Amino acid sequence: MDATSLRLISGLLLFAYTASHFSHANNGPNYYGKFIGKLKNYAHGIKGDVYAVDDTTIFIKGFCYDGTGPDAYFWVGNTSTPTPQGYIVPYPEMEKIRDPVVLQSYNYTDIILKLPDGKRIRDIKWLSVWCRRFTVNFGDVFIPANLKVPKARVLPEFSRLAHGLRSGNITILDSKTFYIPNLHYDGAGPDAYFWVGNGSEPTTFGIKVPNERKSLAPLKGYQGEDIEIVLPGNLTVHDIDWLSVWCVQYKHNFGHVLIPKDLDVPPALGQTKITTSSTPSPPLSKHELTNCKEMLEGRVQVQWEMIGDDIQIRVSGRIREDQYVAFGLSGREGKSEMIGGDVVVVAYNNRTDKFIAEDYYMSDYAQCDGNKGVCPDERIGGKNDAVLVHGERKNGVTTVTYMRPMSTNEPVKDKMIPNTETSVIAAIGPLNLRGEANAHQSFDKTTEDIRIDFTSRNVHECTNSLYNLPDMSDIKPWPVAVITNETMFSARIGPAGGKRGYTRITGQPAWGIAWYINDLLIPEITVERGQTYTFIVEGGNDPTNPARYHPFYITNSPEGGFGQKTEDERKGQRVFAGVKYEDGYPHPTAAGRYCEWVHKTVDMSADMETFENFFETLRLECDKGEPAKLVWTVTEDTPDLVYYQCYTHNNLGWKIHVVNSAHTAVLSMVTTTFVVGMLKFVR
């Protein structure tokens, strides 16, 4: 049997399977959503069956109206009965800048209504055909309490089997439509198509699905596009078990996703309209965001607008180009809590000349180590649910607009935005060399409980433009500490010193903590070649708690963080002490108990003109246990400049200057003098 015959048989089998399932109430050709009821007629021949398609869409099957009312509209509200205290549902759906059209006559016409301004079916109690001029109800239907409406279903991403196929989580938007975000495929398959069928995994018995351009040509390559594909003919998601990218010629599955059987998705009535990467969005102007809130007075303002199931947010901050603003949901309701917070970090990255809007989850007060800490969702197995819309930097103010969904399918890393007031947080901090968020200072974050209802409108609490505010006075850095002629060192953790400390001394972003060597903040140490030095390390030895796990090592990298680097990145670092390899994998050797210099009250670095005065505001706290010991003999080939660093995090340490010993220097001088003398003698 040839391939054409096999495909014909598979198509017939799938058609038969489809036909056998049409008898089910929620997946047949006559399924229009959850039935609400029949329109009751009071005047002008109102008639029609009303369905909830999804939480913002109503379908009226066979709508009738004689069209003779002078000022009639579809009208909804949440009073006990239809009253003038309602609002129009435009039909046909109009642009916001145009006035709704008065209803014309309809004779058994199918009508799709989209609730305006982010309203949902749960927000209304009735639908009416209402005459505004005479305040008369021509006909109505009441929404049942606790009506369960169909919803889009989020699936896993494509399995990654061949040709670089990968994607974000795939969404079934309605019974015929798939949304595939961030699709990657190298395009090298000679005869590859989107392919659907039945069974536990993809087989040759399947049917081609047109691509996002409605073409059945072999698939081209994709490089992160967001696309939408629609099942052909009468086929629905209820009739298939999987969606794959399949090479027909070589009968090879490049990757697939399974379709669950418990679907309660909206019917495909033409209501699904999304914007993909191939659908350009219209430019968004500032007046479209009707709400504004001060987060950090004079420094951060947030505007927002609810659009369907998404929130459009614009964050503006008076920050430097190497800084970010983080904004999002607090880790604890009723309190400004960073740990457990779900935020989006926005910034202008001057290294890449790009604006960013990255979804972050804060599991711990520590730099991201790839598992825990303040991490981009994508680094810890999640996805970036923030979609960058626009970025602008002008007159010292960075403004970034992004979209994010009200809820996602990542219950751990993403928090759902409620329909009521909720606690929000904001902070300003430095970007590190990866373009990721480093720790903010205590004075650069919200401390009080600030609350926002993201469904609200016309909240105007921003009193001044950020562009019109004067610059903050500069703060002088502390002088760099220096250690010479020492062979024994203590290494503990302490605060980075705010605007006077680590960042101002090194020019690098700080994580909020840094190494204290002999109780000095990141001193520059001088050592001699051929000499042996001992570091008593108390940086923490519990790898499950990244905020308190800082093994000490010595490297040629001004950044450090050897443990979080890739294999290729590690090849660019040279390690002189503190790391050993077992079975080909690196392990830190200097990870003792945890000791930290902490603030007695609050961070007073900005008020202290000397480090010595600042140090008086700290106290030492140590866990039980023993310190680690790192013994380092400086070899003759050690470079003139190396660094003491943290194995698990970037930017905690600073410089070690390596010089020749006094004995070596004298010997070198004597040798040079002898050689010069011999040359003169020879002459």
Side-chain angles (χ1 to χ4, degrees), residues 69-85:
D71 194 29
Y73 301 89
F74 290 113
W75 190 255
V76 295
N78 59 7
T79 53
S80 58
T81 60
T83 70
Q85 282 72 51

Side-chain angles (χ1 to χ4, degrees), residues 293-296 422-425 446 448-452:
K293 190 96 168 179
E294 291 271 2
M295 294 300 298
L296 292 170
T422 189
S423 299
V424 294
I425 52 178
T446 51
E448 60 188 64
D449 181 29
I450 300 176
R451 304 179 68 80
I452 286 180

Side-chain angles (χ1 to χ4, degrees), residues 404-415:
R404 64 151 291 173
M406 292 282 284
S407 62
T408 72
N409 67 324
E410 297 183 81
V412 176
K413 303 177 185 68
D414 289 326
K415 302 181 71 172

